[in-house]
Amino acid sequence: MYIERIRKNMLRSFVNSLPYPIKQGAKYIYGVIPPRFRYGKAFWDTYNFLQESQWWSREELEEYQMQQLEKLLKHAYENVPYYRSVFDERGLKPKDIQDFDDLKKIPYLTKEIIQNNLEDLVARNYTRSKLQYCTTGGSTGIPMGFYVEKDITSAKEWAFMITQWNRVGFRIDNRCVVLRGDVVRSTNKGKFWEYNPVNKNLILSSYHMSDETLPNYILKIREFRPDFIQAYPSAITILAKYMRKNNIKPFSGLKSLLCGSEILYPWQRELLEETFQCRVYSWYGHTEQVVLAGECEKNIYYHVFPEYGIVELIGKNDKTVTRENENELGEIVATGFNNFTCPFIRYRTMDMAVPTNTNCECGRDYALLKRVEGRLQELVVTKDKRLITLTALIFAQHFKAFSKIKEMQLVQEKEGQLIVKVVRTSQYSANDEKEILSKMQRAVSNGLDISFSYVSHIPRTKSGKYKFLIQKLSIEFGD
Ligand SMILES: [Zn+2]
């Protein structure tokens, strides 16, 4: 959702209160203003900085990070009541944090702490009018609210986004199809898209894709001739499956698919690249804006932006998972540099990742993540209390049955039990169920009782996202 927010923020002051036709007209006018003037100083300062800093050496990047950290800690100590008491209780002063290791002296910031202490987390040197309220999923399913700096945080974020998309050829004002959970206003009239002339985006509804409507979607996309498609992996997968089934040829001129906000699984990448005949580019980030990482032109590892914040991977017993610990899973704990109104220091994202010690041939000396495994809540618990990642359970294997499935979702309500919800196609048979069952059982050494439930559709979350696993158990890691 944060992309949508960025887009909306940039326009807000300009067109907010106008009736629709005038608003649309105003957007056309706004859209012809050269980007140089259309985007503000915060955007261009960040963008221009990143054009240089991405080629810095690791030493230079770390030096920059320490400078930013020093600034952030001093600010948090002086202006943020929550951090003042965190420091005071421990007898700490900002100058006691001299290197990345010292950062461990500061306790984690959890979603729960934020939910209970929001007002104390707001920096006193910002007036209310400079704050913008955001929400995201909380630890218990209750949304978590926090603040960012109005217009500034989102402008910086947008500069980072464009910088990473540049790696696969994206330029400001390229034509994009957007399939990212947006609500389109005219769907009741049978029109499932709307055009945003400001960023030359054709926004498609992700909520109305069916065998009846998809032919129209495809016609519209062809007519629009997009350079890129920005999509939730689950939404673009529905389109890809339909195109494959009906032998529909790819869109000519399409340079890349830009996938984010949900995990992109290996089988999806394969399907999408085959169907659209172009590169699939994936990135990882979230509304909290403490970490952003994306693929590059040379490989599919996630390059963590060191200019964006400090990322630690925390494994079992609070031990840091370093880049030498290939294949070890750690929780992403991050400190963000882009938002001083409500600083997140050592924020537990509850997302898991696996590092790699590779140096990428693109030349950026960034830390790399081999995989982002998704939320802690995306692990399955076996009868003997083992935690199994979805990658091991499903995605590292090849299932013939998947070509006969429209959608699938796993639900865990009890330890050692798993419900597999399946939306079948007409070709699906009992053998397919057998295949899924036996391969999943093999992956968990028969540690799960697996049952199947055949349904007509898989519901989406409030923000329109698809979740592969509904994990109703609360999973703890690191103790
Ligand atoms: Zn690279």
Side-chain angles (χ1 to χ4, degrees):
M1 286 306 284
Y2 60 101
I3 299 264
E4 282 76 4
R5 187 143 48 225
I6 290 159
R7 216 166 26 224
K8 279 166 197 156
N9 284 349
M10 295 196 164
L11 269 173
R12 192 184 41 224
S13 52
F14 193 53
V15 288
N16 224 359
S17 58
L18 303 169
Y20 183 70
I22 298 175
K23 218 187 265 184
Q24 194 71 353
K27 284 183 186 175
Y28 270 100
I29 294 166
Y30 191 62
V32 296
I33 300 172
R36 205 152 32 108
F37 305 112
R38 199 185 329 147
Y39 297 102
K41 186 174 181 316
F43 172 87
W44 286 111
D45 284 354
T46 309
Y47 185 79
N48 292 332
F49 166 68
L50 291 171
Q51 301 317 303
E52 307 223 330
S53 64
Q54 62 183 313
W55 307 114
W56 286 356
S57 68
R58 187 168 306 172
E59 292 70 33
E60 288 171 302
L61 289 166
E62 286 181 353
E63 196 187 317
Y64 173 78
Q65 286 188 306
M66 279 313 294
Q67 283 166 8
Q68 293 302 107
L69 181 65
E70 205 178 300
K71 239 202 260 177
L72 179 70
L73 294 176
K74 186 168 179 286
H75 160 74
Y77 182 72
E78 285 169 3
N79 302 302
V80 182
Y82 169 79
Y83 282 110
R84 170 58 71 113
S85 55
V86 160
F87 273 80
D88 284 351
E89 279 162 22
R90 287 161 184 78
L92 279 176
K93 290 277 188 294
K95 65 169 173 34
D96 295 326
I97 317 294
Q98 288 293 330
D99 56 30
F100 296 118
D101 254 0
D102 286 342
L103 200 49
K104 289 200 156 151
K105 295 174 182 168
I106 303 171
Y108 299 126
L109 179 71
T110 62
K111 288 175 193 267
E112 213 179 354
I113 295 174
I114 297 166
Q115 277 171 318
N116 297 333
N117 300 274
L118 181 58
E119 287 315 307
D120 280 348
L121 273 158
V122 178
R124 295 296 183 254
N125 57 338
Y126 284 88
T127 55
R128 284 274 147 179
S129 62
K130 296 258 187 236
L131 305 182
Q132 185 199 335
Y133 188 67
C134 298
T135 59
T136 186
S139 56
T140 54
I142 303 160
M144 175 187 94
F146 58 97
Y147 296 95
V148 296
E149 188 174 355
K150 196 186 263 177
D151 300 331
I152 303 296
T153 311
S154 58
K156 288 182 184 169
E157 172 81 358
W158 193 227
F160 275 92
M161 290 303 294
I162 290 186
T163 300
Q164 62 170 351
W165 291 349
N166 283 165
R167 299 173 194 160
V168 285
F170 183 89
R171 296 293 171 264
I172 293 173
D173 278 358
N174 273 169
R175 298 165 71 78
C176 281
V177 158
V178 179
L179 198 52
R180 288 182 46 87
D182 295 87
V183 174
V184 171
R185 58 170 55 233
S186 53
T187 48
N188 55 348
K189 295 178 207 141
K191 195 176 145 230
F192 304 108
W193 46 80
E194 81 194 13
Y195 180 59
N196 181 345
V198 175
N199 8 37
K200 326 270 184 295
N201 283 345
L202 179 71
I203 299 160
L204 304 179
S205 166
S206 345
Y207 304 94
H208 298 85
M209 292 193 285
S210 67
D211 285 7
E212 287 70 49
T213 60
L214 281 170
N216 281 332
Y217 275 71
I218 291 164
L219 275 177
K220 190 68 196 174
I221 296 172
R222 236 182 257 297
E223 177 193 304
F224 181 69
R225 288 179 292 108
D227 302 304
F228 292 85
I229 297 181
Q230 301 173 30
Y232 283 168
S234 60
I236 193 76
T237 298
I238 295 175
L239 179 64
K241 283 196 163 194
Y242 178 85
M243 288 171 67
R244 284 292 287 267
K245 192 176 85 189
N246 296 287
N247 282 320
I248 293 168
K249 64 175 188 341
F251 305 111
S252 58
L254 189 64
K255 295 191 183 100
S256 174
L257 304 180
L258 306 171
C259 289
S261 310
E262 293 171 352
I263 305 288
L264 175 76
Y265 297 109
W267 66 271
Q268 286 178 310
R269 185 191 297 277
E270 209 175 291
L271 170 78
L272 296 173
E273 288 192 333
E274 264 179 49
T275 310
F276 293 99
Q277 292 292 311
C278 68
R279 164 80 192 262
V280 172
Y281 177 89
S282 159
W283 82 91
Y284 163 76
H286 27 59
T287 319
E288 295 92 316
Q289 300 185 30
V290 287
V291 47
L292 185 69
E295 299 174 3
C296 74
E297 52 278 66
K298 299 283 184 191
N299 80 36
I300 61 167
Y301 292 155
Y302 292 90
H303 296 48
V304 183
F305 272 115
E307 303 94 332
Y308 196 90
I310 295 172
V311 169
E312 303 167 75
L313 285 184
I314 305 294
K316 283 195 172 155
N317 306 318
D318 267 353
K319 265 220 173 106
T320 305
V321 177
T322 64
R323 49 198 294 160
E324 288 77 32
N325 302 113
E326 300 246 353
N327 299 323
E328 225 174 278
L329 205 57
E331 181 183 345
I332 297 173
V333 171
T335 300
F337 294 153
N338 287 346
N339 180 24
F340 273 46
T341 62
C342 187
F344 281 15
I345 301 170
R346 304 199 80 212
Y347 171 66
R348 288 188 59 172
T349 63
M350 299 177 78
D351 290 336
M352 311 294 288
V354 175
T356 170
N357 204 13
T358 327
N359 287 321
C360 185
E361 50 176 313
C362 71
R364 291 178 194 86
D365 215 347
Y366 288 3
L368 303 180
L369 301 175
K370 202 183 241 175
R371 291 193 301 276
V372 176
E373 290 268 11
R375 323 280 139 161
L376 266 178
Q377 288 307 105
E378 289 189 357
L379 297 168
V380 171
V381 191
T382 62
K383 291 178 216 172
D384 49 353
K385 298 188 189 299
R386 282 175 296 139
L387 297 177
I388 307 290
T389 66
L390 292 178
T391 308
L393 185 63
I394 304 263
F395 302 115
Q397 312 193 60
H398 184 76
F399 290 83
K400 284 192 209 118
F402 281 1
S403 62
K404 299 170 204 167
I405 284 176
K406 278 191 178 162
E407 285 193 283
M408 183 169 154
Q409 185 175 57
L410 308 180
V411 183
Q412 181 160 44
E413 290 171 345
K414 286 185 189 150
E415 271 180 22
Q417 289 185 4
L418 192 68
I419 303 161
V420 182
K421 283 190 183 176
V422 175
V423 183
R424 289 172 286 195
T425 67
S426 53
Q427 293 97 49
Y428 186 89
S429 73
N431 280 337
D432 296 309
E433 181 179 305
K434 255 189 227 156
E435 189 207 6
I436 297 171
L437 185 64
S438 68
K439 287 188 176 162
M440 282 170 67
Q441 286 295 19
R442 197 173 56 199
V444 296
S445 321
N446 295 315
L448 286 170
D449 291 327
I450 298 171
S451 60
F452 283 74
S453 158
Y454 294 98
V455 295
S456 61
H457 76 287
I458 305 282
R460 297 298 194 256
T461 65
K462 264 198 216 113
S463 54
K465 282 189 211 172
Y466 159 85
K467 284 188 87 172
F468 190 78
L469 172 70
I470 303 292
Q471 180 50 276
K472 299 202 174 159
L473 305 171
S474 145
I475 295 178
E476 277 294 319
F477 190 78
D479 53 11

